[in-house]
């Protein structure tokens, strides 16, 4: 086994305490003898949810030697609420201990720069690997096998049951529902996300008519009526679009292979042959089904006439950039609503509401970017939201916004350009349906549908504004050496059979922050140059590397894609760092 740097793992500290341990508080010393995988995550982040799913097989296969610990590290203010973290752990079926670190103490101790980041600690308490982003489960599996052999031989491996204690189940008709749609019968169809079902409710929104999808669906979210009377379903974790027949209860797959889309895979073609990535909502607009593809920050379409799908808007880069659809940037679009001339979009990670017109040009109505959020009413240019997951078109041309992390229903009026608050004290609203003069809200964290009369006047709310809790990295004026660290996992090598196997894309907000080093390239190191007239901003760095099994005798080696996007707040100052290392996989020398 290769010699590794011996870096002692810092202690695990989190003011929120431990979840899924039966109230036991743990230290690293309590875990000595086990292989520990720290998963730095936050529950708003779709990439973090992907990694939770990637780790499930490892967690089960090595249950007696590996302890996975989620270190919850919030981006949004709402995510620092302990009750919200407890809810998220249940909502996303996290079956390992979670340390709630609302003040990012452990995040800073481990010098983490991105969600998600995985850190592997050996049985003697030393850090042996760090991985940012998705696609690392195979590498960690190989490392775990090496550590099991090494420490089994040394006598430093301790096998046995882990510290996970399952919470008591709670009996409710719905459990963290995602979206709802009104059926022609007057009944509601609700995506009951945590229980992997669709639930049909009577017009009162309470009495259950039918449940379907168990064993087929996996955390379904968005729903949309199709012209043929069926309902399109965003089967989020299965990376698929289904069609549900309310008459028979039958489910049919319309699009997706069941595998997650990765960079380099097809973005158009026969619907059942093209992979998708965490479709979160759907809407019928312009004779096609539009898909909010949260996992890759894009909008896709499904055309039932041709049976094809294609990417329709977004570049896969995460951010807020308007313009022609093919050039626009989104950040985890999670809600859609169609009108005659607009498709409204809840773009959750930028806390924004966007729209796309008939000419396929993207516009922003409300929102400033990845790091600015809050609860502020008034002119749309100054108004703030906090991670909205849903939008609902209203009859007067305005749009209701399920402002999820503000626990509020908001309204944007294009005619006046004003944002107002319609209702507060809603627990994580994630969607809403118009029913006559009422609006029925999916109150996800209260596990119910809630009726509201559309008010004549807005609610007065004290304005608050926030920026993400991550401190800016102080960088030296002039030039900065950017190094994305990638070390191919044991038994693998970079796949250069068909050309370069790495990719690096760099941009900035504001665009004038950089006067050198922007753009795409194949090398993972680059010199960036800052404009001395711009004092601070955000570096957007996207990196990808493909590695394959290093076995000359194998004509068809298995290959693995590792990728991550970083948004790094930076401030130019004398005495700042001259080098910025971002670890994709391995250890920074």
């Amino acid at each position: 086994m290769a010699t590794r740097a011996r870096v002692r793992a810092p202690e695990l500290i989190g003011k929120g305490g431990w979840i899924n341990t039966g109230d036991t508080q743990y230290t690293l010393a309590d875990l000595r003898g086990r292989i520990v995988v720290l998963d730095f995550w936050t529950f708003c982040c779709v990439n973090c949810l992907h990694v939770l799913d990637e780790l499930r097989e490892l967690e089960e296969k090595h249950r007696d030697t590996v302890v996975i610990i989620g270190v919850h590290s919030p981006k949004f203010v709402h995510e620092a609420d302990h009750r919200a973290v407890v809810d998220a752990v249940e909502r996303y079926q996290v079956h390992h201990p979670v340390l709630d670190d609302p003040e990012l103490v452990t995040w800073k101790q481990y010098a983490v720069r991105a969600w998600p980041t995985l850190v592997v600690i050996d049985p003697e308490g030393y850090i042996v690997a760090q991985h940012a982003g998705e696609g690392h489960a195979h590498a960690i599996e190989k490392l775990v096998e090496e550590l099991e052999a090494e420490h089994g031989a040394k006598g430093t491996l301790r096998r046995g049951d882990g510290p996970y204690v399952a919470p008591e189940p709670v009996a409710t008709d719905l459990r963290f529902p995602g979206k709802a749609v009104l059926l022609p019968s007057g009944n509601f169809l609700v995506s009951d996300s945590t229980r992997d079902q669709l639930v049909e409710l009577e017009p009162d929104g309470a009495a259950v008519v039918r449940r379907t999808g168990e064993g087929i669906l996996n955390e379904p979210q968005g729903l949309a009526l199709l012209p043929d009377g069926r309902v399109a379903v965003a089967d989020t974790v299965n990376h698929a679009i289904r069609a549900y027949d309310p008459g028979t209860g039958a489910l049919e797959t319309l699009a997706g292979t069941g595998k997650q889309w990765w960079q380099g895979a097809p973005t158009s073609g026969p619907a059942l042959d093209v992979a998708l990535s965490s479709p979160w909502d759907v809407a019928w607009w312009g004779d096609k089904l539009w898909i909010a593809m949260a996992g890759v920050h894009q909008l896709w379409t499904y055309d039932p006439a041709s049976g094809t799908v294609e990417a329709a808007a977004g570049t896969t880069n995460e951010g807020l950039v308007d313009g022609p659809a093919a050039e626009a940037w989104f950040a985890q679009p999670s809600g859609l609503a169609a009108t005659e001339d607009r498709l409204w979009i809840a773009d959750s990670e930028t806390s924004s509401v966007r729209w796309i017109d008939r000419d396929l040009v993207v516009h922003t109505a409300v929102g400033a970017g990845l790091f600015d959020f809050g609860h502020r009413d008034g002119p749309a240019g100054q108004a703030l939201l906090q991670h909205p997951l849903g939008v609902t078109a209203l009859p007067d041309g305005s749009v209701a916004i399920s402002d999820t992390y503000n626990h509020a229903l908001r309204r944007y009026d294009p005619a006046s350009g004003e944002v107002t608050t319609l209702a507060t004290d809603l627990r994580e609203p994630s969607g809403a349906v118009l029913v006559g003069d009422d609006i029925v809200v999916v109150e996800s964290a209260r596990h119910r549908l809630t009726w509201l009369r559309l008010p004549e006047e807005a609610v007065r709310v004290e304005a608050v504004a926030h920026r993400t809790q991550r401190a800016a990295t102080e960088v030296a004026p002039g030039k900065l050496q950017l190094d994305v660290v990638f070390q191919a996992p044991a038994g693998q090598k970079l796949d250069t059979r068909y050309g370069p196997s790495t990719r690096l894309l760099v941009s900035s907000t504001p665009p004038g922050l950089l006067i050198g080093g922007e753009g795409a390239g194949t090398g993972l190191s680059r010199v960036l140059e800052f404009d001395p007239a711009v004092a601070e901003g955000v570096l957007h760095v996207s990196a990808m590397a493909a590695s394959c099994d290093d076995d000359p005798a194998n004509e068809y080696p298995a290959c693995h894609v590792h990728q991550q996007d970083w948004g790094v707040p930076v401030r130019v100052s004398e005495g700042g760092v001259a080098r910025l290392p971002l670890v994709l996989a391995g250890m920074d020398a």
Side-chain angles (χ1 to χ4, degrees):
M1 183 171 175
T3 302
R4 298 188 182 89
R6 301 285 283 176
V7 179
R8 175 67 73 178
E11 189 53 83
L12 303 178
I13 301 169
K15 187 177 180 180
W18 290 81
I19 303 166
N20 279 356
T21 63
D23 294 328
T24 299
Q25 306 297 300
Y26 284 92
T27 66
L28 278 178
D30 299 324
L31 304 172
R32 197 63 47 81
R34 310 300 290 272
I35 301 164
V36 177
V37 179
L38 302 182
D39 176 15
F40 289 86
W41 71 298
T42 189
F43 63 79
C44 72
C45 161
V46 71
N47 310 92
C48 299
L49 305 186
H50 291 166
V51 168
L52 284 175
D53 292 323
E54 287 179 5
L55 292 175
R56 295 189 196 280
E57 184 177 346
L58 174 77
E59 192 167 27
E60 184 59 36
K61 184 176 179 181
H62 298 272
R63 186 168 294 279
D64 66 334
T65 59
V66 173
V67 175
I68 296 176
I69 293 175
V71 182
H72 190 268
S73 313
K75 171 185 175 181
F76 291 99
V77 168
H78 171 60
E79 293 172 319
D81 176 353
H82 182 69
R83 178 68 251 174
V85 181
V86 172
D87 284 348
V89 167
E90 180 189 351
R91 180 195 297 268
Y92 297 117
Q93 302 172 59
V94 179
H95 297 152
H96 51 249
V98 172
L99 175 66
D100 182 12
D101 182 19
E103 297 175 347
L104 301 180
V105 174
T106 298
W107 165 286
K108 293 170 185 173
Q109 286 293 308
Y110 281 81
V112 175
R113 292 186 181 274
W115 297 277
T117 290
L118 299 169
V119 176
V120 182
I121 302 171
D122 73 12
E124 294 178 291
Y126 291 92
I127 297 173
V128 292
Q130 182 171 328
H131 302 267
E134 304 177 45
H136 302 293
H138 178 80
I140 292 176
E141 163 85 16
K142 292 293 185 185
L143 177 57
V144 163
E145 291 173 355
E146 289 186 5
L147 291 171
E148 286 176 339
E150 177 187 4
H151 289 274
K154 289 173 64 175
T156 50
L157 182 69
R158 177 167 57 90
R159 296 178 180 269
D161 293 333
Y164 171 66
V165 177
E168 290 294 324
V170 182
T172 53
D173 284 334
L174 301 173
R175 204 70 192 161
F176 298 105
K179 309 282 187 184
V181 68
L182 185 65
L183 299 174
S185 65
N187 288 349
F188 291 95
L189 187 68
V190 183
S191 55
D192 197 25
S193 302
T194 296
R195 292 195 178 131
D196 306 323
Q197 296 178 343
L198 302 179
V199 178
E200 188 173 338
L201 302 174
E202 291 187 358
D204 63 1
V208 175
V209 176
R210 159 193 297 170
R211 299 178 184 273
T212 191
E214 187 173 5
I216 301 172
L217 302 174
N218 196 342
E219 295 183 29
Q221 290 286 342
L223 306 168
L225 285 172
L226 296 172
D228 64 7
R230 295 185 298 171
V231 179
V233 182
D235 191 3
T236 304
V237 175
N238 280 330
H239 310 294
I241 302 296
R242 316 280 191 185
Y244 169 73
D245 187 334
T248 65
L251 279 162
E252 176 190 353
T253 303
L254 297 180
T257 63
K259 301 294 185 181
Q260 185 183 341
W261 184 93
W262 287 99
Q263 288 286 352
T267 56
S268 64
L272 296 176
D273 296 337
V274 178
L276 310 180
S277 182
S278 296
W280 209 275
D281 203 7
V282 283
W284 185 260
W285 189 62
D287 297 324
K288 293 181 180 179
L289 183 72
W290 285 72
I291 305 165
M293 203 72 76
V296 287
H297 318 301
Q298 289 182 308
L299 304 181
W300 286 38
T301 58
Y302 164 71
D303 183 352
S306 61
T308 59
V309 293
E310 65 175 344
T315 63
T316 76
N317 295 319
E318 185 178 16
L320 193 154
V321 177
D322 290 339
E327 301 170 14
W329 291 22
F330 296 93
Q332 225 168 287
S334 301
L336 299 175
T339 65
E340 181 62 30
D341 60 349
R342 294 185 181 188
L343 181 69
W344 293 99
I345 306 148
D347 202 28
S348 62
E349 278 294 284
T350 52
S351 297
S352 67
V353 170
R354 324 270 298 272
W355 54 280
I356 187 168
D357 63 27
R358 287 289 187 179
D359 295 324
L360 299 187
V361 176
V362 177
H363 311 261
T364 296
V366 187
L370 285 166
F371 300 100
D372 295 281
F373 56 92
H375 192 150
R376 181 194 290 155
D377 289 332
Q382 286 78 49
L384 292 172
L385 310 170
Q386 187 179 180
H387 198 77
L389 290 178
V391 280
T392 307
L394 300 179
D396 63 357
S398 65
V399 60
I401 307 160
S402 294
D403 193 6
T404 309
Y405 288 1
N406 281 328
H407 307 299
L409 190 69
R410 312 283 293 282
R411 176 176 178 263
Y412 167 66
D413 183 357
S416 67
E418 293 284 317
V419 175
T420 53
T421 298
L422 299 178
T424 57
D425 192 31
L426 299 166
R427 189 71 184 168
E428 291 192 16
S430 54
V433 181
L434 197 64
V435 183
D437 293 330
D438 295 333
I439 190 163
V440 179
V441 179
V442 181
E443 208 175 351
S444 189
R446 285 200 177 110
H447 320 293
R448 70 187 187 190
L449 301 186
T450 297
W451 260 252
L452 297 175
R453 177 70 56 162
L454 282 173
E456 296 292 332
E457 295 186 9
V459 177
R460 289 193 174 275
V461 174
E462 184 177 350
V464 292
H466 306 287
R467 284 184 64 82
T468 183
Q469 295 187 55
R470 281 191 293 167
T473 298
E474 303 282 342
V475 297
K479 295 183 178 181
L480 175 75
Q481 176 67 41
L482 172 67
D483 292 324
V484 174
V485 177
F486 179 77
Q487 296 158 4
Q492 295 181 37
K493 65 178 181 179
L494 287 173
D495 178 20
T496 57
R497 291 171 297 166
Y498 308 109
S501 61
T502 57
R503 186 191 72 158
L504 180 64
L505 176 67
V506 179
S507 62
S508 65
T509 303
L513 176 67
L514 290 178
I515 57 175
E518 286 190 296
T522 57
L524 293 181
S525 292
R526 189 177 302 179
V527 176
L528 309 181
E529 186 171 1
F530 295 99
D531 185 340
V534 182
E536 60 183 321
V538 179
L539 291 179
H540 303 283
V541 180
S542 178
M544 185 272 289
S547 61
C548 295
D549 292 346
D550 187 10
D551 181 359
N554 186 355
E555 186 178 356
Y556 303 104
C559 296
H560 311 274
V561 176
H562 317 262
Q563 66 179 50
Q564 173 62 13
D565 295 332
W566 291 267
V568 184
V570 294
R571 182 179 299 113
V572 180
S573 65
E574 296 293 340
V577 298
R579 175 178 178 264
L580 177 63
L582 300 175
V583 177
L584 179 60
M587 299 283 284
D588 180 28

